Amino acid sequence: RCGTIISITLWDERYTSKEAASRIQAEAIARKSRIPSASELETELDADAACIILEDYYKELGEDGELIVLENEAVERECAEIYVRNMEL
C-alpha cells in the first residue's frame, strides 16, 4: 500500500529560481543558442527550481534518489489513482 504517514521536511527554497535561470542561460550559451527571455523562462523555471531543491535536499542529507518499481499492478494502479486525486485537490 502507499501508506498514510508522510514525513514533511521544511526546506529553504530562496534563490532557487535565480539559480535555475542562471543554469538555463548557461546551457543556452554552451549550446550557442539564443538566451531565452524572461517570459520564455517561465515555462521551465519552476520545474528547474524544483529540481534544484531536490538536488540540495539529497546533497544535504546524503541520500540518493531511488526509483521504486511496484511489482503488483493493482498496487501500482491504486497509487496512481491516489496521486491523481491528490493533484486535483
Side-chain angles (χ1 to χ4, degrees):
R1 295 206 151 278
C2 295
T4 57
I5 299 173
I6 298 173
S7 63
I8 297 173
T9 302
L10 299 179
W11 202 261
D12 185 0
E13 60 178 274
R14 290 178 289 183
Y15 307 113
T16 56
S17 293
K18 288 183 180 183
E19 184 177 342
S22 293
R23 286 185 183 188
I24 292 168
Q25 291 170 346
E27 187 177 309
I29 291 169
R31 292 183 177 177
K32 296 182 175 143
S33 59
R34 189 177 64 79
I35 296 174
S37 67
S39 62
E40 293 170 328
L41 282 177
E42 286 180 31
T43 56
E44 289 184 62
L45 209 51
D46 287 341
D48 284 10
C51 287
I52 290 168
I53 292 168
L54 281 173
E55 287 171 9
D56 291 346
Y57 174 83
Y58 290 137
K59 283 180 201 172
E60 181 76 21
L61 297 178
E63 297 177 14
D64 292 322
E66 181 179 339
L67 177 63
I68 298 172
V69 178
L70 300 174
E71 306 219 357
N72 183 322
E73 287 184 35
V75 172
E76 185 174 352
R77 195 170 32 257
E78 181 182 356
C79 289
E81 289 169 2
I82 291 169
Y83 174 78
V84 169
R85 277 198 308 270
N86 287 335
M87 293 302 291
E88 291 172 350
L89 295 177

